[in-house]
Amino acid sequence: MVFQDKFHLRIPGPTPVPPRVQQAMAKPMIGHRSNIASKLIQDCTNQLKPIFGTSLQPVILAGSGTSALEAAVVNTLSEGDEAIVVSTGAFGDRFAKIIQKYGFNLHVLDIPWGKACEPDNLSVFIQKYPQAKAVFLTYCETSTGVLNPIPELAQTVHQHSDALVVVDGVSCIGAVPCQMDEWNIDIMVTGSQKALMLPPGLAIVAASERAWKTIESNDQPSFYLDLDSYRKKLEQQATTPFTPAVSLLYGLKEALSMIEEEGYEQVFARHERLRKLTRAGIRALGLTLMVENRHASPTVTSIVTSHEKWDVESFRKNMQANGFIVAGGQQHLKGEIFRIGHMGYCDDWDIVAVLAAIEFTLHQMGVPVELGAATKAAQEVMLDV
Ligand SMILES: *Cc1c(COP(=O)(O)O)cnc(C)c1O
């Protein structure tokens, strides 16, 4: 690497921050209870509504994505309550761990990593636990690159039970369609450092009227994560109960404006294209994609390397030396896969670049790959779509 600050961050979060957003975050600090701060908070919450597909204002917390997951748990469940977690990987497991830690009664539907949860599968499981107060789902399972069929899964839950549908959308909201109201999603959460093109530090929770009723009356005590207090402060004074992450909010407003300017449908179409390009390139190198086409996420792609003769962790080190950061596997997939993040501030040429780096790095390592095979395949898709 010639320039130490010039590298390609291709992990599924944190993701690259656009210069426009970076500049917006450099604004001088303001009083957090000022009218300017209130206007900023109001603008952000209003601009977030179409991203979630809701008519209600989402609330914004200062915290990483997991604070939104924990908020969703402690505001909907209380002692003695039963909950269902559908786990398709590391982030489904995280919901389960949070619920377990609080001592609520947990039922986990474990799906093999790399697969999506099918509605039929959930339908059988949910009927076993009619008392469940909430069902926790993951939209994009970042550890594998699966995009779960959330509208169908939500419908399945509602067919059989009154349980709330709570969804972790951290690694895809802003990059894929989300119609909370239409799909009857009760809670959808996201974080700032994935498809929203911001640094880490913001957690966003959108909830339905039905969910807000549960949240208001839930017995489980919580202080910083008490969502009801966020909603009341927002409605009454357009502010937050605690100091908001002002600079990140400036960035959020700018990032949401960028998404508006490009157009929501265009943003979704771009991510669809990035998924296709990545997969075409990987296939052209004879590498193995972890997830089948119909469940592959537009935001992250996993490549299985466990059967290859080369070591994936050495490969990642060599990629880094060439200026490209790709992610490894989580938990038992460490050393078995690598992952390419392609969400947010990412275009076709970024994918061509990472594919070029992959074929080049493998070639350097003595792996028999044809230079140009992956980039050619991706460029052919670019001409096609
Ligand atoms: C990144 C991510 C989170 C949040 O992780 P933090 O490190 O707390 O920001 C939660 N769920 C999914 C699916 C994620 O990809």
Side-chain angles (χ1 to χ4, degrees), residues 174-235:
V176 301
C178 178
Q179 294 297 335
M180 266 188 82
D181 292 355
E182 202 184 307
W183 300 347
N184 291 309
I185 306 294
D186 292 293
I187 296 182
M188 178 69 81
V189 307
T190 195
S192 51
Q193 79 274 27
K194 309 272 169 97
L196 293 179
M197 310 183 281
L198 292 162
L202 291 182
I204 303 161
V205 182
S208 67
E209 271 310 341
R210 195 167 82 113
W212 281 117
K213 283 204 182 80
T214 302
I215 292 166
E216 262 166 30
S217 61
N218 196 46
D219 286 338
Q220 170 64 35
S222 66
F223 187 73
Y224 190 75
L225 298 178
D226 177 8
L227 291 176
D228 204 31
S229 69
Y230 285 83
R231 187 196 199 189
K232 293 211 165 94
K233 283 284 183 194
L234 182 63
E235 283 179 353

Side-chain angles (χ1 to χ4, degrees), residues 63-72 91 94-95 98 170 190-191 193 203 225:
S64 88
T66 305
S67 68
L69 302 191
E70 184 161 345
F91 289 98
R94 186 167 298 180
F95 256 147
I98 297 169
V170 177
T190 195
Q193 79 274 27
L225 298 178

Side-chain angles (χ1 to χ4, degrees), residues 16-49:
V17 177
R20 247 180 90 174
V21 173
Q22 220 133 31
Q23 262 160 27
M25 291 188 302
K27 284 198 183 77
M29 195 42 58
I30 54 172
H32 65 300
R33 301 299 185 211
S34 63
N35 291 339
I36 314 174
S38 285
K39 168 89 169 49
L40 178 60
I41 290 167
Q42 234 156 8
D43 286 349
C44 284
T45 43
N46 285 329
Q47 283 178 279
L48 279 168
K49 287 185 201 170

Side-chain angles (χ1 to χ4, degrees), residues 12 35 68 110 140 142 171-172 244 262 302 311 322 356 359 362 378 381:
N35 291 339
D110 259 315
C140 171
T142 326
S171 60
C172 63
E262 185 179 351
S302 293
D311 172 54
N322 286 328
E359 54 195 20
L362 287 174
V381 176

Side-chain angles (χ1 to χ4, degrees), residues 29 43 46 58-59 104 114 150 195 244 275 292 303 313 347 385:
M29 195 42 58
D43 286 349
N46 285 329
V59 297
F104 307 134
I150 291 301
R275 175 177 83 109
E292 62 177 317
I303 298 96
E313 292 306 301
D347 64 17
V385 290

Side-chain angles (χ1 to χ4, degrees), residues 22 29 33 47 76-78 94 103 109 117 132 161 169 171 178 224 258 267 293 296 328 336 345 354 378 380:
Q22 220 133 31
M29 195 42 58
R33 301 299 185 211
Q47 283 178 279
T76 55
L77 302 176
S78 52
R94 186 167 298 180
L109 171 55
C117 178
S161 99
S171 60
C178 178
Y224 190 75
M258 283 179 68
V267 170
N293 257 343
E336 311 274 308
Y345 193 53
V354 74
E380 279 166 359

